[in-house]
Amino acid sequence: DEYIALAKTTCINTFVIDIKEDGVPGFKAEAMKEYCPSAYKAAGDNGKLYADVVKKLHDAGFWVVGRIVTFKDYHFTKDHPECSIYDKTTGGLLLHNKSHWPSAYSRLVWEYNVALATEAVRELGFDEMNFDYVRFPDKIMSIENNIDMRNLYGESKVQAIQRFVKYAADELHKVGAYISIDVFGESANPGYTTPYGQYWPAISNVADVICGM
């Protein structure tokens, strides 16, 4: 109520609500039960709270976006190390930026995050789903020869990211929702293909919205 009252005094027209942060799942989703039991166990029993908040925001006239941290997910890597980036030097999963990273090449990771997103739209009524961390880890070029990205299909990083976004967009459009992708601003530099797979032209022709960071 306090945030709504504040927003009414500004030009704000949108609220973004976290559904899954790295290591912090928001509510017990069926997609978590199927794909990531560790996340389901760690999640709060907050489904009704989410539904009530989304309804209240809609009633107040706001657009409501659900945010999902995608390829940085402690719980998923715990349940599916075979789909996660492997560090050959340590003999374990890559620990980067204080977390383990599911591989953006892995189709199982795609399925999980998109299933969670479509469930949130169907069951809770979100207008749009925002995917964050839609990329490979940054600042790892010096160690890439020592890690296994689980690249089963011989794709480039740009291909993997674009294909994930296309898959997510296709599935979300089927349930009547829009899709937004958080992208580093430097990815917009002409001709610049980033080492973490975010290439602005390859994403902008698939997603409904790009959020430049």
Side-chain angles (χ1 to χ4, degrees), residues 24-192:
V24 188
F27 60 91
K28 293 186 181 299
E30 289 301 309
M32 293 175 187
K33 183 185 292 186
E34 178 180 355
Y35 290 95
C36 188
S38 292
Y40 186 84
K41 182 178 179 180
D45 192 13
N46 297 321
K48 186 178 184 306
L49 173 63
Y50 272 76
D52 290 346
V53 168
V54 172
K55 182 179 185 305
K56 176 173 282 193
L57 290 169
H58 278 155
D59 290 345
F62 292 98
W63 185 259
V64 188
V65 180
R67 173 177 174 267
I68 292 177
V69 169
T70 311
F71 300 121
K72 183 183 179 188
D73 189 327
Y74 165 80
H75 291 295
F76 189 90
T77 58
K78 180 179 178 181
D79 290 346
H80 297 284
E82 76 283 1
C83 299
S84 306
I85 299 175
Y86 177 77
D87 188 338
K88 300 174 185 177
T89 302
T90 65
L93 298 183
L94 176 70
L95 181 63
H96 177 74
N97 195 11
K98 300 180 181 179
S99 187
H100 299 303
W101 293 64
S103 174
Y105 290 119
S106 170
R107 273 37 178 186
L108 189 67
V109 184
W110 296 13
E111 290 177 17
Y112 169 44
N113 286 280
V114 172
L116 180 58
T118 55
E119 180 180 342
V121 172
R122 290 194 313 267
E123 301 298 325
L124 303 175
F126 285 95
D127 302 299
E128 175 184 325
M129 295 305 303
N130 171 254
F131 292 93
D132 198 359
Y133 284 84
V134 182
R135 60 180 176 84
F136 292 85
D138 57 315
K139 301 178 182 178
I140 61 168
M141 291 184 67
S142 63
I143 63 169
E144 285 211 30
N145 290 335
N146 298 324
I147 60 180
D148 182 356
M149 293 283 195
R150 317 289 195 183
N151 188 359
L152 298 181
Y153 304 101
E155 298 167 302
S156 70
K157 292 177 181 177
V158 169
Q159 285 176 321
I161 297 302
Q162 184 192 48
R163 288 168 181 173
F164 165 75
V165 176
K166 186 178 188 306
Y167 166 63
D170 286 345
E171 295 303 309
L172 282 163
H173 290 165
K174 289 177 186 177
V175 295
Y178 290 86
I179 174 176
S180 57
I181 306 295
D182 294 342
V183 179
F184 282 135
E186 65 181 350
S187 302
N189 290 337
Y192 176 47

